[in-house]
Amino acid sequence: MPPHRSDIPPLDPADLAACRALLQGGSRSFAMASLLLPRRVRDHATALYAFCRLADDAIDQAPPASHASVLAALHERLDRACQGRPAAVAADRALAHVLACHAIPRTLPFALLEGFAWDAEGRRYQDLPALRGYAARVAGTVGAMMALLMGARSQSAIARACDLGIAMQ
């Protein structure tokens, strides 16, 4: 069980600043929307989203021939963050902190990477159930992680957060 909201330690200020700078340039909509969150939630959401943004950009900007190696590197970075031994990258250190502080199960961020792998494959979705499976990975997972970050623990609340992420996708 994660610590009580008031017991959650803050992020390293330098790592947080690096995550903010990353999102200011590449994700203005998140930067603006995050201002509506309480500061402690906002800072941890910034760290979470910075890693998601870096991972998405790594796939989107890589030439198709290098997708497999980019995905392998992302899996290694995420695995290290989940183990509390992040790579020497501000977003990875901040993510490791957030995952540990909020007891976010590793299946969620790894499902996000699975969705990015589907992007790399160039999958096309012929029906709504297939599209929903994709959206559950690339957006529902983020909704679930955000719910956990905000202290939600009920299955119902997390399911609704997934639904919201899918709808936003």
Side-chain angles (χ1 to χ4, degrees):
M1 176 154 246
H4 185 271
R5 296 274 337 136
S6 63
D7 296 337
I8 294 174
L11 288 157
D12 176 88
D15 289 346
L16 179 58
C19 290
R20 282 185 182 139
L22 170 82
L23 296 177
Q24 286 294 337
S27 190
R28 289 188 186 108
S29 60
F30 173 82
M32 293 300 294
S34 71
L35 296 175
L36 300 172
L37 297 170
R39 183 173 187 87
R40 179 64 58 87
V41 173
R42 179 182 339 136
D43 290 351
H44 285 213
T46 297
L48 175 66
Y49 198 74
F51 183 86
C52 295
R53 177 84 272 135
L54 281 174
D56 192 26
D57 289 349
I59 293 299
D60 289 349
Q61 296 170 4
S66 66
H67 281 160
S69 63
V70 169
L71 280 164
L74 288 170
H75 275 89
E76 172 65 22
R77 287 174 61 188
L78 182 54
D79 191 51
R80 289 185 61 177
C82 288
Q83 293 176 25
R85 321 178 287 105
V89 175
D92 291 28
R93 289 188 301 265
L95 177 68
H97 178 84
V98 168
L99 293 174
C101 285
H102 300 282
I104 295 174
R106 62 185 288 127
T107 55
L108 291 171
F110 275 100
L112 176 71
L113 291 187
E114 182 180 21
F116 293 161
W118 291 7
D119 281 340
E121 292 171 9
R123 284 192 186 190
R124 297 290 177 240
Y125 306 99
Q126 302 303 317
D127 55 30
L128 197 52
L131 180 60
R132 185 175 171 80
Y134 167 74
R137 285 163 178 79
V138 298
T141 57
V142 177
M145 289 187 285
M146 284 296 299
L148 293 168
L149 216 163
M150 290 185 234
R153 291 289 181 247
S154 76
Q155 285 183 330
S156 176
I158 294 169
R160 296 304 67 79
C162 287
D163 290 344
L164 179 60
I166 291 167
M168 298 295 287
Q169 180 66 27

